[in-house]
Amino acid sequence: MPPSTIHDPAATTDNRLVVAISSRALFDLGNSHALFEREGLDAYRSFQIAHEDEILKPGVAFPLVQKLLDLNKLAGDVPPVEVILLSRNSGDTGLRIFNAIQHYGLEISRAAFTSGAPTSDYIAPFKADLFLSANAEDVGRALKAGVAAATILPSTAPPRMSEQLRIAFDGDAVIFGDEGERVSREEGLEAFHRSETEHAAEPLSVGPFRGFLTALHRLQAAFPAENSPIRTALVTARSAPAHKRVILTLRKWGVRIDEALFLGGRDKGPFLDAFGADIFFDDSPANVESARKHVATGHVPHGVSNR
């Protein structure tokens, strides 16, 4: 791995990978959020101010954010990463969150506190490539606006000890469009395989995470493939012969995926555990429930599986 140094963010602003994250995805705010739902805003505000100097524990997406920001310390011509906080807290109650950010040494300086209003309106002005939140409503709004977004769900998975950042994606309705899933649901698996074989030379349509995958690939490309601090995986229920169209599409897009797992309907959780994913993105509620027992998981509420 190259020696550590600090980048000049102004030098590579146009290539910056920007991730926007909610406070509940970054830190463990479960108790205070439960208080808010049970007793309302005034009780929540009083609690946060009273506990302002108590450091919040890391949340589900904290290890991911830490590894993303650590990429900025690596030498070489690497586009920097920026993480932005988008929170439904007020600036007043958000002070506890910034105290925790400072305590953990996270290089997060930009934020929007909306006092209960949706945060999704600020994703575009911040030019975020990815939005992670515990609020499904905000995630849905972001997806409709054309931004890769996922609902971060509670997980019992332990943090990964590896320094390498590992991100796994489902294929259909995440990286690609959901046409294949619609054929499979409406006409059956045999019709799906027949359709994919007939259209193998035609690239799959673009899914909601296509832009984020491209930005991540751009970051990966700054490192030698054999010594990269980032590793990606496609973990899909597809199997042969439906694999061919996926491979040819990624080749057409010029996007690198380090590992491709074609599971033919097998439970994804154990495979994600074996890969060591820091986070996995999937549209299927059933797959998400399985995965979050093994790794941090983001639900992408897009496509036919969520209608």
Side-chain angles (χ1 to χ4, degrees):
M1 199 69 71
S4 295
T5 188
I6 300 296
H7 285 287
D8 173 12
T12 49
T13 299
D14 291 341
N15 289 327
R16 183 176 295 170
L17 174 69
V18 180
V19 176
I21 189 165
S22 74
S23 51
R24 280 203 292 142
L26 183 58
F27 295 115
D28 183 358
L29 286 162
N31 290 337
S32 52
H33 184 70
L35 175 67
F36 167 72
E37 292 189 322
R38 188 172 64 249
E39 299 184 29
L41 182 59
D42 288 343
Y44 175 84
R45 181 178 180 275
S46 297
F47 178 85
Q48 294 293 48
I49 292 174
H51 295 81
E52 208 163 76
D53 295 325
E54 294 179 18
I55 301 302
L56 293 162
K57 293 181 179 179
V60 175
F62 182 94
L64 171 71
V65 167
Q66 202 167 41
K67 286 187 177 183
L68 281 166
L69 290 173
D70 281 347
L71 294 172
N72 288 338
K73 300 174 183 178
L74 299 178
D77 186 18
V78 183
V81 175
E82 181 173 19
V83 175
I84 294 163
L85 182 72
L86 297 184
S87 176
R88 287 195 176 211
N89 278 272
S90 65
D92 198 19
T93 59
L95 184 57
R96 188 183 183 195
I97 297 163
F98 259 118
N99 286 344
I101 287 171
Q102 184 176 17
H103 171 81
Y104 291 110
L106 300 177
E107 294 182 2
I108 299 175
S109 58
R110 290 187 172 96
F113 294 100
T114 64
S115 297
T119 61
S120 51
D121 290 343
Y122 295 102
I123 296 172
F126 277 125
K127 298 182 179 180
D129 299 293
L130 175 68
F131 175 55
L132 304 176
S133 175
N135 187 294
E137 178 188 346
D138 284 339
V139 168
R141 286 170 177 261
L143 283 170
K144 287 180 181 177
V147 178
T151 308
I152 298 297
L153 301 175
S155 173
T156 56
R160 301 288 164 180
M161 302 309 294
S162 169
E163 292 184 4
Q164 190 178 51
L165 173 63
R166 294 191 164 218
I167 300 179
F169 304 87
D170 179 33
D172 296 292
V174 177
I175 295 176
F176 313 116
D178 72 335
E179 294 88 346
E181 284 195 5
R182 281 192 270 116
V183 171
S184 180
R185 282 172 175 263
E186 295 169 8
E187 302 178 40
L189 190 58
E190 185 177 337
F192 166 74
H193 282 302
R194 184 170 58 250
S195 174
E196 291 300 297
T197 300
E198 291 173 357
H199 299 90
E202 300 173 18
L204 288 158
S205 65
V206 170
F209 271 64
R210 164 72 160 93
F212 172 62
L213 182 63
T214 299
L216 190 64
H217 171 77
R218 186 172 64 237
L219 190 60
Q220 272 188 301
F223 298 95
E226 67 277 5
N227 193 30
S228 175
I230 306 169
R231 192 164 183 83
T232 55
L234 172 69
V235 183
T236 174
R238 285 174 176 252
S239 60
H243 71 298
K244 184 176 181 180
R245 194 176 183 192
V246 167
I247 294 169
L248 293 178
T249 298
L250 292 172
R251 186 182 297 170
K252 175 79 172 178
W253 289 352
V255 172
R256 168 176 132 204
I257 290 283
D258 297 299
E259 299 189 23
L261 307 180
F262 298 97
L263 302 183
R266 294 286 295 273
D267 185 2
K268 294 182 179 182
F271 293 92
L272 291 163
D273 195 15
F275 172 67
D278 290 296
I279 195 165
F280 171 60
F281 298 108
D282 200 301
D283 67 300
S284 164
N287 287 340
V288 164
E289 284 302 310
S290 166
R292 72 189 183 105
K293 298 173 186 175
H294 299 268
V295 299
T297 302
H299 176 226
V300 182
H302 175 77
V304 67
S305 296
N306 294 282
R307 292 174 187 165

